[in-house]
Amino acid sequence: RTGIRFNFGRVAQPPDFRYFLDSTIGDSLRTDVRRQGNPTLAFEKGTSYEVGASHLFSENISVSASAFRKNLENLVSGNLQVGDLGSNGQFSTGDFGSVQGVEFTARGRWTGLSIRAGWALQQAKGLTSGSEKDSTPVGADPARTEYPLAFDRRHSGDLAVFVGRGAGWEVPWSVSMTTTVQSGYPLLRQALGTGSSAREVTQYLPWTSTTDLRASWD
């Protein structure tokens, strides 16, 4: 009635310049910002861990819980200026990140009725090396600043209800409802009065939700 699982994953991939931590480029839609690659960039790497357990209370009800963490290394960031200020910057892989959280799921199934509910809480944050053109690193370990990653949605939940044929009942009709709720993404702006391009978290965007209702006759 009880199952325990542990998952481990390791991934390495070429840098994807669409997603990176960068506190020097403002609006990515500006056409006057020229991005120049760095031929000596290392691969971005990630290591993930997950541990969870599931328990079947009866033939109809089960619950599961899991905790996960992903460590991100060599994230692409920093539009570093090489030479005079008129030269194009180059990307580096000096930033880090982590994603961690927990998930809970409950399922129930009876004749003609199936229900599933889940909730996840996660935190995704990045750590920049601080080696931008407007900062001066001290020693071999420059100052580091922590930012939420662009996909840092803290809360997400879902609910699915199936009645009739969709729940395994031998009837010609079926009714279903699926709902998802998610908290907003972080909204970053440049820190005021600092004289640099550092960013600060001002607020999170509003929550979003989606509900689908469907009825069918077979």
Side-chain angles (χ1 to χ4, degrees):
R1 289 179 175 271
T2 303
I4 299 176
R5 62 186 181 277
F6 175 77
N7 296 321
F8 171 80
R10 179 71 174 170
V11 63
Q13 65 179 15
D16 190 341
F17 290 99
R18 294 177 301 170
Y19 308 99
F20 57 90
L21 287 173
D22 187 15
S23 57
T24 62
I25 296 179
D27 185 0
S28 61
L29 299 180
R30 287 173 52 193
T31 58
D32 60 325
V33 176
R34 299 180 60 185
R35 299 182 177 180
Q36 179 176 335
N38 184 349
T40 60
L41 284 180
F43 274 24
E44 293 181 313
K45 299 179 180 179
T47 306
S48 60
Y49 310 87
E50 180 187 8
V51 59
S54 302
H55 182 74
L56 184 64
F57 286 97
S58 65
E59 295 181 356
N60 308 106
I61 300 176
S62 65
V63 297
S64 63
S66 62
F68 59 90
R69 179 178 176 86
K70 179 184 292 185
N71 296 323
L72 308 174
E73 308 166 26
N74 297 344
L75 293 181
V76 174
S77 72
N79 188 28
L80 300 183
Q81 295 288 341
V82 180
D84 57 19
L85 295 179
S87 63
N88 295 325
Q90 286 189 339
F91 291 104
S92 66
T93 51
D95 291 341
F96 312 88
S98 64
V99 182
Q100 56 188 355
V102 293
E103 293 180 344
F104 301 95
T105 304
R107 292 182 175 87
R109 185 161 188 169
W110 299 268
T111 302
L113 176 62
S114 177
I115 301 175
R116 178 191 181 278
W119 186 267
L121 174 65
Q122 77 161 12
Q123 182 184 45
K125 57 185 179 181
L127 193 64
T128 69
S129 60
S131 301
E132 288 95 11
K133 64 180 181 180
D134 53 0
S135 63
T136 302
V138 178
D141 188 14
R144 295 178 177 178
T145 306
E146 184 176 280
Y147 296 100
L149 293 175
F151 53 87
D152 181 30
R153 286 187 126 162
R154 299 297 176 88
H155 302 275
S156 62
D158 65 273
L159 173 66
V161 180
F162 299 90
V163 182
R165 193 176 186 88
W169 198 10
E170 293 299 330
V171 292
W173 56 270
S174 177
V175 178
S176 65
M177 181 192 72
T178 58
T179 299
T180 59
V181 180
Q182 294 180 316
S183 59
Y185 291 114
L187 185 62
L188 303 179
R189 70 175 183 181
Q190 287 190 343
L192 301 177
T194 60
S196 68
S197 57
R199 296 181 182 181
E200 63 180 358
V201 180
T202 57
Q203 60 183 345
Y204 279 77
L205 294 175
W207 285 53
T208 59
S209 62
T210 302
T211 300
D212 293 324
L213 298 174
R214 177 175 297 180
S216 63
W217 181 279
D218 189 0

